[in-house]
Amino acid sequence: MLAFETLAETLTRDGVDVPQVMQRLKALQIETPSWGYGNSGTRFKVFKQPGVPRTAFEKIDDAAEVHRLTGCCPSVALHIPWDAVDDYDALADHAAERGVRIGAINPNVFQDDEYKLGSLCHPDKAVRDRALDHILQCCDVMRATDSKLLSLWFADGTNYAGQDHIRRRHERMQDGLEVVYRALPPGSRMLVEYKFFEPGFYHTDLPDWGTALLHCQALGPQAQVLVDTGHHPQATNIAHIVALLLEHGKLGGFHFNDRKYADDDLIVGSVDPFALFLIFNEIVDALDDPTTEATAQAIAYMIDQSFNIEPKMPAMLQSVLNVQTAWAKALLVDRAALRDRQDAGDVLGGYAVLQAAFETDVRSLTARAREELGGAADPLAVFASSGYSERAVADRVGAAQGWGG
Amino acid sequence: MLAFETLAETLTRDGVDVPQVMQRLKALQIETPSWGYGNSGTRFKVFKQPGVPRTAFEKIDDAAEVHRLTGCCPSVALHIPWDAVDDYDALADHAAERGVRIGAINPNVFQDDEYKLGSLCHPDKAVRDRALDHILQCCDVMRATDSKLLSLWFADGTNYAGQDHIRRRHERMQDGLEVVYRALPPGSRMLVEYKFFEPGFYHTDLPDWGTALLHCQALGPQAQVLVDTGHHPQATNIAHIVALLLEHGKLGGFHFNDRKYADDDLIVGSVDPFALFLIFNEIVDALDDPTTEATAQAIAYMIDQSFNIEPKMPAMLQSVLNVQTAWAKALLVDRAALRDRQDAGDVLGGYAVLQAAFETDVRSLTARAREELGGAADPLAVFASSGYSERAVADRVGAAQGWGG
Amino acid sequence: MLAFETLAETLTRDGVDVPQVMQRLKALQIETPSWGYGNSGTRFKVFKQPGVPRTAFEKIDDAAEVHRLTGCCPSVALHIPWDAVDDYDALADHAAERGVRIGAINPNVFQDDEYKLGSLCHPDKAVRDRALDHILQCCDVMRATDSKLLSLWFADGTNYAGQDHIRRRHERMQDGLEVVYRALPPGSRMLVEYKFFEPGFYHTDLPDWGTALLHCQALGPQAQVLVDTGHHPQATNIAHIVALLLEHGKLGGFHFNDRKYADDDLIVGSVDPFALFLIFNEIVDALDDPTTEATAQAIAYMIDQSFNIEPKMPAMLQSVLNVQTAWAKALLVDRAALRDRQDAGDVLGGYAVLQAAFETDVRSLTARAREELGGAADPLAVFASSGYSERAVADRVGAAQGWGG
Amino acid sequence: MLAFETLAETLTRDGVDVPQVMQRLKALQIETPSWGYGNSGTRFKVFKQPGVPRTAFEKIDDAAEVHRLTGCCPSVALHIPWDAVDDYDALADHAAERGVRIGAINPNVFQDDEYKLGSLCHPDKAVRDRALDHILQCCDVMRATDSKLLSLWFADGTNYAGQDHIRRRHERMQDGLEVVYRALPPGSRMLVEYKFFEPGFYHTDLPDWGTALLHCQALGPQAQVLVDTGHHPQATNIAHIVALLLEHGKLGGFHFNDRKYADDDLIVGSVDPFALFLIFNEIVDALDDPTTEATAQAIAYMIDQSFNIEPKMPAMLQSVLNVQTAWAKALLVDRAALRDRQDAGDVLGGYAVLQAAFETDVRSLTARAREELGGAADPLAVFASSGYSERAVADRVGAAQGWGG
């Protein structure tokens, strides 16, 4: 791999303000999800891995190790009830001791038997109320853990035409979200996630960014849209959606992962790294624009993946690295040149500017950033030789929680 | 084919209010597009057909013949400049003489050389102004022809990442639409169409209903969304979009066609008749609901297809018939039973109610409706034996206008 | 619903040979899968249903009940090891007593922990041998149950570029299949299933009919391709694939289900009934053609679905009914008229012939066929009032097997 | 940009045999298509560009200029009749004088009015014979120009279910191809291209690699499959298809372009550069394997794109550069390490090996290769300042041929 100094020299010669790039590169913080450290699988099989954490505390240990190695993952998202504990103070303290903090709280309203036909959209008010109660309890967890984000994904949908009434379900969703909105802790936000399909196979109540936006607009400024990069129809231009949500002040955060087919939940950037770069390109652009800067600054970058066959910790590290790579490349885009080519109507000129940044080998740049943040230049190698996995396998015996709790 | 009386008897026995169904069936009016009567093709070849109309007047003749045969196509959409004439009064009179009227006015801002990089979103203000001028002239045509609909489709988009700035283009679109909105004739509406892709292959400025809705919301009540049934990503649930737009008062109209792959512009219902039925099912539902009734009543049903290899007039007749078929089946849905099954959470019960309507053979029902409207029971057969085509081939010699003017 | 006699009269008047149609309609036999009666779900949740069978014997009871009600489901597919028993003679006898027989044997080489990286394609020979042993044991089950079909689906694939070597995996698959081929009982066939994706998300070793065909060609005449209607990329013309496999003598059978998005495994025909009709249209055409008749006659029609939220027995009945509906409509196609229109190059004429058949309401036709086969005119209604479900809930207490064994 | 020497030093330190990489990098030859230099467009509009070549001779001039600037594009594909001339000797001589040669001959059997319903699959034998005659004439052009490749794309397909008989069309195709096969000049090959859809929207007679392979297998060793990278369903793993065709000795060549949605015909690698890299990764792997080496060595690399809104020459240069980039990265893959990780079942290890190659900035490597081949380090910059475009605009006045001849 290229030496950092060599790369920096080349970049500087090409007009890049390397210190500024390094500063912005180091500013990126990526939240990892507690459930990413546990077992997961497809509908066909959950392959259990030895050494996966058995408790929320152990998941935080893993997240802390990822932060120790990368320097850029200071928070961990919780999933309730998978991570429910009796004493959230203790959990938050445990996190603090390990050098991380509690991030977004993710309610689960899709795995109880009652939710077979939905949660907030269920035809039966009793089930809707049950789901609402659970989400309101998650608002309490936010208070207990000083979390500022409520991350909402609903599996609500139907499998057959005629199964339920689409518009009435839409109204029920809005009614439920309004109750949640009023219960948000001060200074916090709720992020509304959408998904094209699965587990609903006829319709999904929140299928696209437009529907999520309609709800958030009706709710108010504390409600924003959450973009999961794996939740779109084939060929969707996600960078475009990101730009539109930024423009309208409603981009709240990301669930990063990659996919080739459906919601494959693979390592982010492993299928289409150029598409990931283009997303970050829109964000850097918005950071430099006063009308969108505040929204862009507040974006929550979160990983949400399913490591079914690969080892969890290396997979998480690889994802973090890939996000940093895309971010670094987006920071290298010559924005003055890009604007110049765009204003001139130069079809290929703008593309060439982006391509120049994308083709740059930034591995030594991100390595240096991690080192300056207290992490490792090569987290995967350090982890492999650290004995962490072996200790986990030895220590964590007994019932390991699956992805689904 | 089943006799009408036999079918009516069976339906009545099953609890259907046949006279009411017939009344609503006859109330459906479908607008045909002037350009559907002219030559069209793919990028590979426009196969020219003998007898296609050479002028806007002759296109209206064809549209009038379709109305004569079906009884349900009283208006014809114009495309400017393909249908531009010096004297719009004369054109409107010609239409009236033939028993039809001018429907939606469709500006064309994608075929001048200046529009290579877009129209309202073009980086060059001079081009944007040119496009705007053209659309404003179309508002004048609306006044001249007493048209109440401005139907807006924009080919604006880019082919390469970096080619232009997505958010600035979005702002330019909004700015342009606002000028148009203020120029709308009183009592008229503008319908904003979206399209997933083509001719733009990196991004399209109006790619989905969410983006179109954002613009329409900002504009005001005279702006609504136009759903072209061929303009979505694969697997999109269009009935769901229809329901959401109805719920929010923003469904303005349809461009009907069918597709298997991309924007194939085939005969409506020829690929997936069940999906078409499900769209109409949402509309009938909305007509019966006081909160959505007004929006549903005002929907403009328009055909927009490209008959590349099939004869134009039979293809248009077939499309009208297929729309009527779907509409008739949607009217047969037992809504009380449907609601009952939905409220009970009966997954298969609601589907069974829809299926019962869809499986009904309604051909004699729509045939009777056409007859009662003054059309033909079997428009295709009547047309085939009418000599209309032969006369057109004989009379319409000389340069026939292609689809692209 | 229309009376059978009324429909028959109308059809006869239109030139249909109703007795012949009834005969062919009754000849269709549809195999139901043992696993369709058990619990299933998505990766998010398996919603357990009360009363689902606990053993292979009880699954056969359910399958027999479906046959009793429909008259056209005389065989049941087994999944090994989900349905493994000590005494297959006893199982076969149990089936015979209930009026059904054992159909295809489906090995499972994707749920042991060893299969994390594949089965016949696994990089480790020991795992490949294990998978092979299991499949060979399934050949023994075929002998023990007098089954004539080995139905092979492999979950083999990779999740990341570079994870394994595509060509070497292809060779391993061929090597394994050859061993299996040689172990087939005399007079039996092996059906090789393909699937576009899932659970592999980078590549699947058997992703399409072309790959499956390559293997089957190399194996010999006892190897044929199995078409699962939910295993294709979006917009794939499955009827076309069916036609090609028929033409080349390699269409072995179907796994019927429907999908809107991915491999949704919904009730067959519930998403796109016209596409199902077009598949059967190719089959009826091939039955009437001496060059393809033998292949078409030997097609194994099997249901393979996942009833996640709907009650299992009604869902299975609904699927059988939908297959019959499509089959009946395909039988009504006026093949002489169709050929005439096709030979004349009449683009819309051939479509009109198909549409006439598809729009016919055949419910009374299939009802009559079921009655003549000893089943019920309305199997869903008879089942609902039969008390079967209630008895199953009462009797089948204790650990019910899930879909995944 | 990084200096070549710096990169070479780093690579050498990392164990790369840089001289060998440079040698293989320079060995890649990419054919450009005559039609890529002419006007093209979508069905909505062909935007005419000033300076495009008016004759086959001028197209060869443009192709020669691309070769002069890149050093790796020594041949040019012809399209007949777009490039039909009276004296093919003169055309071949003209090419030789300009330093290039005639490459693949591409018959056109889709733009005459007779081909509305197909060419070799047309229901009318007279049309089939006409198409066959044209293709046989193209074999004569091969002899006249010493071309060794016949590149066959058929637009044959249907737009509506029932329009024609799928199996009979398949047989007609096979019959026609057999006649062509027998007419091939000695030592030449015919490449059979497939395409998922367009211009046919119900079915395409050659929709996928499986169908093309069936034809080629029946024809013999001189018939191979042509992979156009834009001709697949969404999410298709093209690298997998490439691997399978290599394994079976039937990969004849490529038509390179990129797409996000349908057959967008964009600059290759501009949408998904990682997917392009993975294709070349399979090829390099096959070159190193004795069982596939001969097939891989004979692959014809051809560009086939539609530059609708971007200037033709820079677009073609950009495409060539992007192919070189992907090729260079594939050459950098550490194959021993890759095999080691694959054999070990290390899910992420193999991916990491590929990623290391992909993330390398190879721009100075390909620049050096071009220089050593006699081309320019930066062809785009050299071209921009060369005055070539300006001269073309000045000289090439009068009727410029469109893409469609």
Side-chain angles (χ1 to χ4, degrees), chain C residues 163-355:
Chain C
Q163 177 187 325
D164 203 351
H165 192 273
I166 290 177
R167 292 191 295 110
R168 280 199 295 274
R169 291 179 70 96
H170 180 71
E171 291 163 7
R172 293 173 201 147
M173 175 64 81
Q174 185 62 34
D175 291 346
L177 291 177
E178 279 170 10
V179 176
V180 175
Y181 190 81
R182 290 192 294 268
L184 284 176
S188 72
R189 290 180 287 164
M190 60 188 268
L191 306 185
V192 180
E193 191 169 352
Y194 58 90
K195 184 176 181 180
F196 187 45
F197 78 96
E198 194 206 22
F201 297 131
Y202 170 65
H203 104 293
T204 298
D205 288 288
L206 283 166
D208 51 24
W209 71 271
T211 309
L213 182 65
L214 276 174
H215 287 301
C216 290
Q217 284 176 333
L219 292 170
Q222 283 176 271
Q224 289 182 305
V225 178
L226 176 64
V227 175
D228 183 304
T229 47
H231 287 190
H232 304 84
Q234 286 288 341
T236 300
N237 188 323
I238 301 175
H240 188 177
I241 294 173
V242 166
L244 288 173
L245 288 173
L246 281 165
E247 176 81 9
H248 291 267
K250 282 299 190 188
L251 180 63
F254 286 95
H255 272 182
F256 282 126
N257 53 66
D258 212 343
R259 56 72 71 105
K260 186 173 181 59
Y261 303 97
D263 185 27
D264 308 339
D265 275 333
L266 301 174
I267 289 174
V268 59
S270 67
V271 177
D272 189 346
F274 190 57
L276 183 64
F277 161 76
L278 293 175
I279 288 173
F280 278 114
N281 177 54
E282 294 296 334
I283 294 171
V284 175
D285 174 86
L287 283 168
D288 293 347
D289 180 338
T291 70
T292 47
E293 186 185 2
T295 302
Q297 284 291 0
I299 294 171
Y301 300 100
M302 302 178 283
I303 286 175
D304 179 13
Q305 294 167 23
S306 248
F307 307 126
N308 302 334
I309 60 170
E310 62 274 45
K312 314 288 174 190
M313 291 289 287
M316 193 68 84
L317 291 169
Q318 182 71 63
S319 272
V320 172
L321 267 54
N322 288 3
V323 172
Q324 282 188 314
T325 297
W327 175 242
K329 291 182 175 185
L331 292 172
L332 290 181
V333 171
D334 183 340
R335 299 218 165 256
L338 182 62
R339 168 129 206 183
D340 179 68
R341 292 300 81 211
Q342 290 174 343
D343 288 349
D346 178 358
V347 177
L348 297 180
Y351 166 68
V353 172
L354 293 188
Q355 196 189 29

Side-chain angles (χ1 to χ4, degrees), chain A residues 165-168 170, chain B residues 237-249 251 254 278-279 282-283 285-286 292:
Chain A
H165 192 274
I166 291 178
R167 291 191 295 108
R168 281 199 294 274
H170 181 70
Chain B
N237 188 322
I238 301 176
H240 188 176
I241 294 174
V242 165
L244 287 172
L245 288 172
L246 281 164
E247 176 82 7
H248 290 267
L251 179 64
F254 286 94
L278 293 175
I279 288 173
E282 294 296 333
I283 294 171
D285 175 87
T292 47

Side-chain angles (χ1 to χ4, degrees), chain B residues 15 32 44 57-58 71 82 118 125 142-143 160 171 189 201 211 235 255 260 276 303 354 367 382 395 404:
Chain B
T32 69
F44 298 107
F57 290 84
E58 290 181 353
W82 301 342
K125 185 172 185 302
M142 292 173 72
R143 287 185 192 87
Y160 293 97
E171 292 164 6
R189 290 180 288 164
F201 296 129
T211 309
H255 271 181
K260 185 171 182 59
L276 183 65
I303 285 174
L354 292 188
V382 172
D395 294 349

